[in-house]
């Protein structure tokens, strides 16, 4: 536990600092309440994403356990990529789970890409709960190698 050096006896030793101490405590309480109110996107179940940028394409691996291809929607408009998904857990009739660690989930992830994508070469695959997107860069966006000739 972290104890601030001025927490003990501040009102007796420095009464002029008491108002600042009160203000600090109120701000600490505010931020603690704010942190507990709004869980992060990952705490709510938003999928984790791994990216790899090569010269020809951007490869995304998105973890979507328990989802099939019908539950995922991917759209690409200019250089904006949107990935949406829905997972609904179906409990069999007459069955009451003892413990449930996975819940229903609905998510939307949006990305602004730093390049234009060749939509014809773009592909997506889903295997073992991992969605893999390969977004090929347009030829004008790919780096060019220039050879040097000696004269």
């Amino acid at each position: 536990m972290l104890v601030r050096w001025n927490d003990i006896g501040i009102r007796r030793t420095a009464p002029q600092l008491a108002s600042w101490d009160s203000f600090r405590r109120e701000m600490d309480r505010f931020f603690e309440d704010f942190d507990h109110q709004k869980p992060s996107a990952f705490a709510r179940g938003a999928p984790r994403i791994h990216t790899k940028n090569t010269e020809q394409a951007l490869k995304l691996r998105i973890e979507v356990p328990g989802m099939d291809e019908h539950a995922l929607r991917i759209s690409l408009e200019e250089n904006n990529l949107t990935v949406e998904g829905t997972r609904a857990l179906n409990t069999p009739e007459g069955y009451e789970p003892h413990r449930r660690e996975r819940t229903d989930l609905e998510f939307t992830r949006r990305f602004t890409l730093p390049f234009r994508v060749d939509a014809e070469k773009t592909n997506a695959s889903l295997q073992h709960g991992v969605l893999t997107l390969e977004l090929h860069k347009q030829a004008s966006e790919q780096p060019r190698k220039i050879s040097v000739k000696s004269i």
Side-chain angles (χ1 to χ4, degrees), residues 60 74-76 79-83 109-111 133 135:
L60 297 166
I74 304 166
S75 64
L76 180 65
N79 64 336
N80 296 314
L81 173 70
T82 304
V83 180
R109 299 289 306 262
R110 290 184 177 89
F111 306 95
L133 292 170
L135 306 168

Side-chain angles (χ1 to χ4, degrees), residues 50-54 57-61 133:
H50 309 276
T51 60
K52 182 179 180 184
N53 193 5
T54 64
L58 175 68
K59 296 179 182 180
L60 297 166
R61 295 186 68 210
L133 292 170

Side-chain angles (χ1 to χ4, degrees), residues 13-126:
T13 59
Q16 64 273 18
L17 296 178
S19 61
W20 284 105
D21 184 52
S22 174
F23 175 71
R24 182 188 51 80
R25 288 178 194 270
E26 288 298 317
M27 292 303 291
D28 286 347
R29 189 175 306 122
F30 170 75
F31 284 112
E32 284 176 12
D33 291 346
F34 183 75
D35 286 343
H36 293 298
Q37 256 179 1
K38 197 172 194 181
S40 70
F42 298 113
R44 290 189 308 263
R48 299 194 185 274
I49 297 177
H50 309 276
T51 60
K52 182 179 180 184
N53 193 5
T54 64
E55 289 182 3
Q56 291 81 26
L58 175 68
K59 296 179 182 180
L60 297 166
R61 295 186 68 210
I62 305 170
E63 298 174 2
V64 289
M67 292 188 189
D68 61 3
E69 63 272 5
H70 304 294
L72 296 167
R73 293 170 304 284
I74 304 166
S75 64
L76 180 65
E77 295 178 28
E78 294 181 12
N79 64 336
N80 296 314
L81 173 70
T82 304
V83 180
E84 298 174 294
T86 305
R87 177 181 64 209
L89 298 179
N90 298 324
T91 305
E93 187 73 30
Y95 176 76
E96 184 65 32
H98 175 70
R99 179 181 177 144
R100 178 179 283 176
E101 293 184 355
R102 193 179 283 176
T103 61
D104 293 345
L105 172 68
E106 189 169 332
F107 73 90
T108 300
R109 299 289 306 262
R110 290 184 177 89
F111 306 95
T112 300
L113 304 173
F115 53 83
R116 286 178 279 168
V117 174
D118 187 354
E120 299 300 320
K121 293 183 180 178
T122 298
N123 55 22
S125 62
L126 180 65

